């Protein structure tokens, strides 16, 4: 398939219908080993090294996929001259990987170690909880006994001959699908594929199946007669990936019962919070007709409506960590799954469950409101329209992923424009009754749990901490779940629909109070454009600096970063974490003006406005991404958060609870605990850089947090950076009439605490070891040291910085003018650091992973 983005590159994915379910009982992990051996043992793939190519592979239950992201033409490497066409080399590499692998003993032993390393890295608590969920969900199938990662003992002891036999048994052309998407000539590519793969032999099973078809046409009635007449090929249906009798799902809708499914419990001392998961299982419904698409959209609308409703119920209930509802197809498991997942501190799980079940019961019995449905339909259409407008800018990696998913699930592949057109037609036929009917169908397994002739949940699993003061029993979870039918069937009030944040009359009044005005951004100039970058700079009289650049990289999209200097560096040790807690409080439940948080969320969702509020060491930032037509709404949002931000005690309590839960999770995660210990040593346990521990969070009150954060939300040094597809005149007008009315507010002093520069690593903690009580033996290592910053300046050479323009240009008197200019570019330091990260990471991977097989994962970061 031709796709011009990125230009001059292509994606080639070879999907083998060979997964872990093909393994026998004594082969668990062999499919994974074969993936490693074939991929990393390919000499022809190594020819692509240094060309800018990226390649990888993965194995799931049903498939093994090898993929190469590659430029069309080489610029020249030690192995290849400039101008070499790389598509033939990529095809040759994929042919060697799948059909001509050497399968040498040395490579098998090397990859045995690599798979064991990967196994140890993957078995964190999230992975173990996920595997427990899969075991419950698919208990009637072979899947729980065939996890793709493999069995450790089998991986250690399996004989190389078994690995080679597996490869020989399953790696044939009739099990292969090849996908090529990119900036390629379709006719030339088709000829190349035919030339490369046409003589690859199919499996005996395929030949036997074809022989049986021929035999049927010839009038042979018996299988034995067909085989005798046509060559006696061996036929084993278990080797036919289109049959696969070993995976037969028990779908919830087809198995109804009056007995309540007893929840299973997975308990471990390294689990930090309680998680309860309820699942139902469905057959995948291929999308091939408009009727199929309509049914798919009904399901998406139910997920969207209930998901938003559940999220809005979490905010007023601080103990709740989160509630998630989803329905999705699984390519690797060959089914569709509806999931309700609730999380909370272990002592509040009953409250958590009641909130979730009450809302599910409401959606099941009364359904959603017309306002909720209209909002979700608007959001769905806006999302599809946005994707259609960016169709020519969708990267090949995304296109090929969608193509593979459609092929595996039996869907008709639709480009983004066609999907949008079909969606517009389909939603016109959808009524509130349709959606509420679909809701009853999807939620029945929860709302009628234990009822007469109710769908059997595919899984009910509680993952619980192992604590001395709390004991969790299956019957206690069952008892609470059975209360779902007794919950009050109350109707929730309608949420007001907002058309705009700032009505015209309000804006007119704001103008009378604070008349907007442009001011000089440079002596004698109110508007400056940098010729090299094309960035336009402006400044409002209230102090707000504006930087913008028009670009067509993402059509009909505008991206805004509103940056206020300060961040964590302005915190004192006495009120450490105040800024971080303040940002989290706003994200949990902040609002502005006379609008509730639910109203703001619905408005943002309907207009496809993606909003995030974050904090770093140096600043706090509002990040906004939305369609270009929402320009005025984005400016109104910024206008209100910088002039009329509202705080809520419930959101503050929720933020505190979340921080304390996260701290406990850090102490029970090998990766996070090791990183936190490292930071403590480097920052000499300064509370602004790690944790923060519960005792620090608990002593902060809302007024402290509010005062610290709002001090930084000032106009004097606020910098708003805007990039996107917009009309420059319209942008400036919107900035002027909205942001220009924000009352002027001076920057806090100091912008950063001077003692933060005096923090030095603790020499006594140069070498540290952390050991966590876990029955799965894993290890992780960190090595750290000082590094240059990405701005290209250093306080260690202050005089030189003033003369030379930064330490990157130190000693530049001996350099030519062109080099001086390049090193003096504001982004030079950042670009160099990114290149260094890439080169060192690649070298580490090649040496430690590929050559020495010491570790599975390694990374270098600055």
């Amino acid at each position: 398939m031709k796709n011009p983005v990125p230009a001059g590159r292509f994606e080639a994915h070879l999907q083998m219908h060979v997964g872990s379910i093909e393994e026998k009982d004594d082969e668990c992990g062999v499919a994974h080993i074969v993936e490693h051996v074939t991929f990393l043992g390919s000499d022809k793939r190594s020819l692509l090294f240094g060309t800018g190519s990226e390649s990888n592979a993965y194995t799931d239950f049903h498939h093994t996929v090898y993929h190469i992201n590659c430029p069309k033409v080489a610029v020249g490497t030690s192995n290849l001259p400039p101008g070499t066409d790389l598509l033939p080399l990529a095809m040759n590499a994929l042919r060697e990987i799948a059909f001509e692998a050497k399968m040498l003993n040395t490579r098998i032993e090397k990859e045995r170690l690599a798979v064991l390393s990967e196994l140890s890295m993957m078995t964190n608590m999230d992975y173990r909880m996920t595997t427990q969920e899969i075991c419950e969900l698919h208990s009637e199938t072979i899947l729980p006994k065939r996890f793709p990662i493999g069995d450790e003992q089998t991986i250690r002891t399996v004989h190389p001959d078994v690995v080679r036999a597996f490869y020989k048994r399953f790696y044939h052309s009739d099990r292969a699908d090849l996908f090529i998407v990119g900036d390629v000539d379709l006719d030339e590519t088709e000829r190349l594929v035919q030339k490369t793969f046409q003589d690859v032999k199919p499996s005996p099973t395929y030949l036997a199946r074809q022989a049986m078809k021929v035999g049927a046409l010839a009038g042979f009635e018996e299988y034995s007669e067909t085989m005798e007449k046509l060559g006696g090929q061996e036929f084993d249906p278990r080797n036919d990936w289109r049959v696969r009798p070993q995976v037969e799902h028990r779908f919830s809708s087809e198995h109804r019962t009056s007995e309540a499914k007893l929840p299973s419990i997975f308990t471990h001392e390294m689990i930090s919070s309680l998680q309860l998961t309820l699942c139902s299982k469905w057959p995948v419904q291929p999308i091939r007709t408009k009727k199929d698409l309509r049914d798919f959209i009904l399901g998406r609308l139910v997920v969207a409506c209930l998901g938003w409703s559940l999220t809005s119920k979490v905010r007023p209930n601080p103990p709740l960590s989160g509630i998630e509802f989803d329905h999705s197809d699984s390519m690797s498991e060959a089914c569709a799954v509806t999931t309700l997942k609730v999380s909370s501190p272990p002592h509040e799980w009953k409250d958590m469950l009641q909130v979730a079940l009450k809302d599910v019961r409401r959606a099941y019995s009364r359904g959603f409101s017309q306002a909720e449905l209209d909002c979700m339909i608007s959001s769905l259409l806006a999302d599809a329209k946005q994707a259609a407008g960016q169709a020519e800018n969708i990267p090949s990696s995304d296109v090929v992923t969608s193509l593979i998913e459609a092929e595996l699930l039996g869907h008709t592949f639709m480009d983004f424009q066609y999907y949008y057109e079909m969606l517009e037609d389909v939603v016109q036929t959808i009524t509130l009754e349709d959606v509420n009917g679909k809701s009853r169908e999807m939620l029945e397994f929860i709302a009628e749990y234990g009822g007469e002739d109710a769908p059997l949940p595919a899984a009910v699993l509680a993952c619980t901490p192992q604590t001395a003061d709390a004991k969790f029993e299956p019957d206690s979870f069952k008892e609470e779940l059975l209360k779902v039918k007794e919950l009050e069937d109350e109707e929730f009030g309608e949420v007001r629909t907002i058309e705009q944040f700032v009505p015209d009359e309000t804006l007119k009044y704001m103008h009378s109070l604070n008349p907007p005005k442009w001011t000089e951004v440079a002596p004698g100039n109110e508007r400056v454009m940098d010729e090299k970058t094309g960035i336009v700079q402006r400044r409002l009289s209230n102090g707000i600096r504006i930087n913008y650049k028009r670009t067509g990289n993402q059509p009909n999209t505008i991206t805004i970063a509103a940056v206020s200097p300060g961040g964590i560096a302005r915190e004192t040790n006495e009120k450490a974490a105040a800024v971080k807690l303040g940002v989290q409080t706003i994200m949990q439940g902040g609002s502005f003006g006379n609008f509730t948080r639910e109203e703001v969320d619905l408005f943002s969702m309907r207009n496809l406005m993606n909003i995030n509020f974050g904090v770093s060491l140096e600043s706090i930032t509002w990040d906004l991404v939305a369609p270009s037509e929402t320009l005025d709404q984005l400016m109104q949002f910024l206008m209100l958060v910088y002039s009329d931000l509202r705080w809520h005690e419930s959101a503050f309590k929720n933020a505190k609870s979340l921080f304390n839960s996260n701290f406990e999770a850090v102490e029970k995660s090998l990766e996070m605990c090791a990183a936190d210990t490292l930071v403590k040593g480097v920052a000499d346990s300064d509370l602004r850089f790690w944790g923060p521990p519960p005792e620090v969070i608990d002593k902060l009150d809302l007024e402290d947090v509010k005062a610290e954060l709002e001090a930084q939300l000032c106009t004097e040094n606020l910098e708003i950076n805007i990039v996107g597809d917009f009309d420059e005149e319209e942008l400036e007008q919107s900035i002027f009439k909205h942001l220009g009315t924000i009352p002027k507010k001076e920057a806090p002093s100091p912008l950063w605490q001077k003692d933060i520069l005096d923090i030095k690593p603790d020499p006594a903690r140069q070498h540290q070891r952390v050991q966590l009580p876990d029955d799965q033996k894993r290890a992780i290592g960190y090595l750290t040291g000082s590094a240059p910053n990405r701005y290209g300046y250093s306080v260690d050479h202050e005089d030189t910085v003033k003369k030379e323009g930064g330490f990157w240009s130190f000693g530049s008197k001996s350099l030519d003018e062109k080099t001086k200019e390049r090193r003096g570019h504001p982004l030079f330091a950042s670009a160099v650091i990114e290149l260094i990260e890439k080169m060192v990471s690649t070298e580490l991977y090649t040496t430690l992973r590929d050559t020495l097989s010491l570790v599975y994962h390694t990374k270098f970061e600055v």
Side-chain angles (χ1 to χ4, degrees):
M1 179 176 176
K2 188 171 183 62
N3 191 67
V5 181
R9 296 187 71 89
F10 64 88
E11 292 268 348
H13 291 228
L14 184 64
Q15 175 180 262
M16 300 299 301
H17 290 270
V18 181
S20 56
I21 64 165
E22 266 74 44
E23 297 166 342
K24 300 174 184 177
D25 289 342
D26 58 351
E27 294 178 331
C28 295
V30 170
H32 191 185
I33 296 175
V34 168
E35 171 222 311
H36 276 248
V37 173
T38 54
F39 183 73
L40 292 164
S42 170
D43 295 330
K44 294 181 179 179
R45 187 181 69 92
S46 64
L47 292 176
L48 298 172
F49 293 173
T51 63
S53 302
E54 295 180 354
S55 55
N56 212 330
Y58 66 86
T59 301
D60 64 30
F61 288 112
H62 292 87
H63 322 94
T64 299
V65 179
Y66 304 93
H67 52 94
I68 299 175
N69 175 313
C70 197
K72 288 170 59 179
V73 179
V75 296
T77 67
S78 58
N79 297 320
L80 302 171
T84 301
D85 187 358
L86 296 180
L87 184 56
L89 297 185
M91 294 299 99
N92 289 335
L94 290 175
R95 172 176 172 142
E96 180 184 47
I97 288 168
F99 310 119
E100 298 171 348
K102 297 182 179 67
M103 307 298 291
L104 300 175
N105 280 1
T106 52
R107 175 56 68 175
I108 292 174
E109 295 307 320
K110 181 177 288 189
E111 297 313 316
R112 187 198 304 273
L113 296 176
V115 171
L116 287 169
S117 178
E118 182 180 356
L119 177 64
S120 69
M121 286 298 298
M122 284 187 64
T123 53
N124 56 35
M125 191 49 60
D126 286 341
Y127 175 80
R128 279 178 266 180
M129 290 166 67
T130 299
T131 57
Q132 289 294 323
E133 185 178 320
I134 291 175
C135 287
E136 289 299 315
L137 183 61
H138 304 299
S139 59
E140 78 281 10
T141 74
I142 200 173
L143 296 183
K145 299 179 181 178
R146 295 292 186 270
F147 281 103
I149 190 66
D151 171 71
E152 180 179 355
Q153 186 60 28
T154 301
I155 295 168
R156 289 187 183 280
T157 59
V158 66
H159 195 277
D161 288 344
V162 175
V163 178
R164 282 187 281 267
F166 186 91
Y167 176 74
K168 183 178 179 181
R169 191 160 80 242
F170 294 111
Y171 275 68
H172 301 284
S173 61
D174 53 295
R175 282 181 174 262
D177 293 330
L178 178 63
F179 301 84
I180 301 173
V181 177
D183 189 10
V184 296
D185 181 278
L186 296 181
D187 291 335
E188 290 182 4
T189 302
E190 186 173 342
R191 287 192 293 270
L192 176 62
V193 170
Q194 186 174 14
K195 177 183 176 182
T196 306
F197 295 99
Q198 64 181 350
D199 61 341
V200 176
K201 297 185 183 303
S203 67
T205 298
Y206 175 83
L207 294 174
R209 186 171 61 243
Q210 296 304 107
M212 292 177 70
K213 291 180 180 178
V214 172
L217 292 173
F220 301 146
E221 295 182 0
E222 298 294 334
Y223 167 75
S224 58
E225 183 183 3
T226 303
M227 293 297 101
E228 182 179 347
K229 296 287 186 182
L230 297 173
Q233 297 287 344
E234 178 185 357
F235 180 75
D236 183 352
R238 289 173 300 175
N239 291 341
D240 186 347
W241 66 267
R242 293 171 180 82
V243 179
R244 284 178 169 159
Q246 62 269 54
V247 181
E248 293 184 7
H249 292 291
R250 183 175 61 225
F251 298 117
S252 299
S253 58
E254 299 170 1
H255 291 79
R256 309 181 75 90
T257 179
S258 300
E259 294 184 9
K261 185 179 179 71
L262 188 67
S264 299
I265 294 182
F266 172 59
T267 299
H268 199 282
E269 59 187 329
M270 300 307 293
I271 295 177
S272 57
S273 62
L274 187 144
Q275 179 176 287
L276 181 64
T277 304
L278 295 93
C279 301
S280 67
K281 189 157 55 170
W282 309 76
V284 172
Q285 298 295 331
I287 303 173
R288 295 171 181 164
T289 67
K290 190 175 286 190
K291 181 179 180 298
D292 296 334
L293 180 61
R294 186 178 187 276
D295 194 62
F296 168 75
I297 297 303
L298 286 174
R300 284 195 60 181
L301 289 171
V302 171
V303 170
C305 288
L306 184 58
W308 176 82
S309 181
L310 287 169
T311 300
S312 67
K313 302 304 180 297
V314 170
R315 290 198 189 97
N317 296 274
L320 303 187
S321 298
I323 307 176
E324 302 172 19
F325 179 72
D326 183 49
H327 176 86
S328 57
D329 297 331
S330 171
M331 295 185 298
S332 65
E333 297 161 38
C335 64
V337 181
T338 303
T339 305
L340 177 70
K341 187 171 292 186
V342 284
S343 305
S344 81
H347 296 289
E348 281 87 20
W349 71 269
K350 291 184 179 180
D351 295 333
M352 164 203 72
L353 190 56
Q354 187 177 61
V355 169
L357 293 180
K358 199 170 188 178
D359 212 34
V360 167
R361 186 71 186 179
R362 189 269 302 193
Y364 176 76
S365 301
R366 292 185 176 269
F368 306 108
S369 69
Q370 189 64 52
E372 287 174 304
L373 177 59
D374 291 343
C375 177
M376 299 311 156
I377 288 178
S378 296
S379 178
L380 206 62
L381 285 170
D383 190 25
K385 181 181 178 181
Q386 187 80 341
Q390 297 178 2
E392 295 182 357
N393 295 75
I394 304 295
S396 296
S397 57
D398 291 348
V399 175
V400 74
T401 299
S402 299
L403 190 59
I404 292 174
E405 181 178 5
E407 190 270 339
L408 287 176
L409 296 174
H411 301 328
T412 297
F413 179 73
M414 294 178 279
D415 63 40
F416 294 99
Q417 182 60 42
Y418 183 72
Y419 173 74
Y420 175 56
E421 293 169 0
M422 289 295 99
L423 182 62
E424 280 191 308
D425 288 344
V426 165
V427 296
Q428 298 299 321
T429 70
I430 290 177
T431 66
L432 182 62
E433 290 73 23
D434 294 332
V435 174
N436 287 336
K438 186 69 174 179
S439 175
R440 287 186 62 84
E441 177 186 327
M442 294 174 64
L443 299 177
E444 186 182 7
F445 80 102
I446 303 172
E448 297 292 344
Y449 175 84
E452 189 72 25
D453 195 35
L456 179 70
V460 182
L461 174 68
C463 296
T464 67
Q466 183 175 317
T467 60
D469 57 342
K471 190 175 182 180
F472 304 98
E473 298 290 346
D475 285 334
S476 59
F477 288 102
K478 177 181 175 180
E479 182 180 340
E480 292 301 316
L481 287 169
L482 286 170
K483 292 178 182 178
V484 63
K485 296 185 292 298
E486 303 170 6
L487 295 174
E488 292 184 19
D489 185 16
E490 65 181 40
E491 185 174 4
F492 292 95
E494 290 279 338
V495 177
R496 180 178 49 151
T497 301
I498 306 172
E499 295 302 325
Q500 56 180 352
F501 287 132
V502 184
D504 292 340
E505 59 272 18
T506 304
L507 190 61
K508 185 177 180 179
Y509 175 71
M510 293 292 291
H511 276 224
S512 68
L513 296 178
N514 300 290
K517 182 181 178 181
W518 293 115
T519 189
E520 290 184 349
V521 69
N525 292 297
E526 291 185 356
R527 188 178 189 274
V528 174
M529 186 179 79
D530 182 76
E531 294 183 0
K532 289 184 179 179
T533 62
I535 296 173
V536 176
Q537 296 177 300
R538 302 217 64 175
R539 190 172 190 182
L540 292 162
S541 58
N542 55 14
I544 298 176
R545 295 176 175 86
I546 308 294
N547 306 303
Y548 72 80
K549 180 177 180 179
R550 188 176 185 277
T551 174
N553 291 342
Q554 286 188 298
N556 193 36
T557 300
I558 185 168
T559 301
I560 300 175
V563 183
S564 296
I568 297 171
R570 226 194 82 78
E571 292 179 347
T572 63
N573 261 310
E574 290 70 30
K575 293 184 179 179
V579 176
K580 287 187 283 189
L581 184 57
V583 168
Q584 190 60 246
T585 299
I586 296 302
M587 286 300 294
Q588 286 294 312
S591 61
F592 49 70
N594 296 318
F595 305 114
T596 67
R597 178 56 179 266
E598 288 71 29
E599 292 169 344
V600 173
D601 283 349
L602 273 178
F603 180 85
S604 302
M605 191 180 303
R606 190 173 70 249
N607 290 281
L608 215 65
M609 295 167 58
N610 188 350
I611 300 171
N612 188 52
F613 191 31
V615 59
S616 68
L617 178 63
E618 301 164 331
S619 63
I620 54 175
T621 304
W622 284 101
D623 288 305
L624 300 89
V625 181
S628 299
E629 58 261 27
T630 64
L631 173 60
D632 279 351
Q633 288 92 328
L634 291 170
M635 293 303 156
Q636 290 171 11
F637 176 87
L638 290 173
M639 171 186 172
L640 290 174
V641 297
Y642 279 92
S643 62
D644 196 12
L645 189 63
R646 305 292 177 92
W647 297 72
H648 303 283
E649 188 67 37
S650 61
F652 179 64
K653 290 179 180 178
N654 215 4
K656 276 191 167 185
S657 176
L658 187 61
F659 264 96
N660 291 338
S661 296
N662 289 343
F663 184 82
E664 186 177 353
V666 167
E667 292 185 318
K668 293 189 175 185
S669 164
L670 179 64
E671 292 80 2
M672 291 191 291
C673 185
D676 213 42
T677 303
L678 184 75
V679 170
K680 287 181 188 177
V682 171
D684 198 18
S685 294
D686 192 291
L687 289 169
R688 291 166 289 188
F689 290 89
W690 66 280
E695 58 268 22
V696 173
I697 292 295
D698 291 342
K699 73 178 183 180
L700 292 170
D701 59 37
L702 181 57
E703 290 306 313
D704 289 335
V705 168
K706 178 181 176 182
E708 184 54 58
L709 190 66
E710 289 194 345
Q712 297 189 34
L713 292 175
C714 59
T715 62
E716 185 181 8
N717 57 3
L718 173 60
E719 186 174 286
I720 297 183
N721 306 286
I722 307 168
V723 176
D725 180 17
F726 49 77
D727 180 90
E728 294 188 9
E729 184 177 350
E730 290 180 2
L731 175 68
E732 290 198 8
Q733 287 176 354
S734 187
I735 291 171
F736 183 78
K737 71 181 181 181
H738 294 114
L739 304 187
T741 64
I742 301 175
K744 185 174 182 178
K745 183 178 178 182
E746 295 183 356
S749 181
L751 268 179
W752 45 271
Q753 303 298 332
K754 291 185 178 181
D755 68 335
I756 210 164
L757 299 177
D758 299 326
I759 297 173
K760 303 294 181 185
D762 180 2
R765 288 188 281 185
Q766 186 174 15
H767 302 285
Q768 299 183 84
R769 177 177 295 213
V770 177
Q771 187 165 354
L772 300 182
D774 194 349
D775 53 359
Q776 295 286 333
K777 301 304 178 185
R778 302 187 303 124
I780 189 168
Y782 288 98
L783 180 66
T784 191
S786 60
N789 62 56
R790 293 179 181 269
Y791 301 112
Y793 292 94
S794 171
V795 295
D796 295 331
H797 304 286
E798 189 172 348
D799 294 337
T800 304
V801 166
K802 293 177 181 178
K803 296 176 183 178
E804 304 288 345
F807 69 85
W808 289 94
S809 56
F810 181 71
S812 59
K813 294 178 181 179
S814 61
L815 302 175
D816 59 79
E817 291 300 320
K818 190 174 182 179
T819 303
K820 286 182 181 180
E821 182 182 3
R822 185 178 74 253
R823 292 191 177 186
H825 192 285
L827 294 178
F828 179 77
S830 180
V832 169
I833 287 174
E834 286 189 29
L835 286 171
I836 291 172
E837 285 180 329
K838 182 72 173 178
M839 290 187 293
V840 175
S841 291
T842 301
E843 186 63 25
L844 281 171
Y845 182 87
T846 301
T847 303
L848 298 179
R849 160 68 179 87
D850 198 15
T851 304
L852 301 177
S853 297
L854 293 176
V855 296
Y856 176 73
H857 176 73
T858 178
K859 190 175 184 181
F860 177 76
E861 290 181 312
V862 176

